[in-house]
Amino acid sequence: MKILSFGAGMQSTALALMACENAVKSPGLHPMVPIYDAVIFCDLGLEPPWVARQVEFTCCACEQAGISFYILNTPLYRDFMNNFGQRRTISIPWWTLKEDGHKSKMPRNCTIDYKIEAISKFVRWELLGYQKGQRLRPEDVKAHEMHMGFS
């Protein structure tokens, strides 16, 4: 199974659209890009309007090419606002500014928790049909790959 983790940026959009061209026009048109079995977007809940337009555009292209496109509700921003000051909150990419003008980016782990983990669970439980806690069948171990396009 070939899976694309879609973030609606330039690289993952290019991979999705090249896969669509491979599916519709010619399988060898973009030889390094497979025809994906699934393209998966994690909706964090507070994306800018251009992201929604990009997701809709790419979703339509995938549907026309016969490629499954899934949108997962992974409400990072809602969880962050609801939990802040109450219990553990996820680390999002905060920028800091010191009094002397020095800028720095705080460490984050939201990509792992709200994208990679969410996609892994979706693939395991929804696409492969496993139940929570069920062991992988030998034929499913290393039987799929996930592509990510990012800078």
Side-chain angles (χ1 to χ4, degrees):
M1 183 181 299
K2 307 250 189 265
I3 302 158
L4 174 63
S5 173
F6 182 75
M10 178 175 47
Q11 293 86 349
S12 62
T13 299
L15 287 171
L17 296 178
M18 286 191 283
C20 291
E21 284 187 329
N22 281 346
V24 173
K25 294 180 180 177
S26 169
L29 191 60
H30 303 287
M32 300 298 290
V33 179
I35 299 171
Y36 293 107
D37 298 297
V39 175
I40 305 173
F41 174 72
C42 293
D43 184 358
L44 301 175
L46 192 62
E47 300 289 357
W50 70 266
V51 171
R53 290 190 301 271
Q54 190 80 338
V55 169
E56 180 63 29
F57 173 80
T58 308
C59 180
C60 289
C62 287
E63 287 175 358
Q64 291 173 357
I67 297 172
S68 297
F69 191 100
Y70 301 95
I71 299 175
L72 306 183
N73 181 26
T74 54
L76 166 68
Y77 297 105
R78 185 200 69 204
D79 290 355
F80 183 81
M81 296 307 289
N82 288 345
N83 296 335
F84 191 80
Q86 305 296 317
R87 58 179 184 240
R88 178 187 174 268
T89 56
I90 200 71
S91 297
I92 62 175
W94 289 105
W95 286 90
T96 62
L97 180 62
K98 291 185 179 179
E99 288 180 16
D100 65 0
H102 176 76
K103 299 175 190 174
S104 63
K105 192 174 183 180
M106 300 294 286
R108 65 187 175 103
N109 61 342
C110 57
T111 300
I112 293 170
D113 292 347
Y114 282 84
K115 292 183 180 183
I116 295 170
E117 285 287 323
I119 290 172
S120 295
K121 288 176 182 177
F122 179 79
V123 169
R124 185 180 182 106
W125 299 338
E126 301 298 325
L127 299 183
L128 296 176
Y130 285 93
Q131 300 298 315
K132 193 169 185 175
Q134 186 178 2
R135 290 181 163 264
L136 284 175
R137 294 180 297 266
E139 62 269 19
D140 286 336
V141 174
K142 298 183 181 181
H144 56 279
E145 61 186 54
M146 183 179 345
H147 294 185
M148 298 183 210
F150 62 91
S151 298

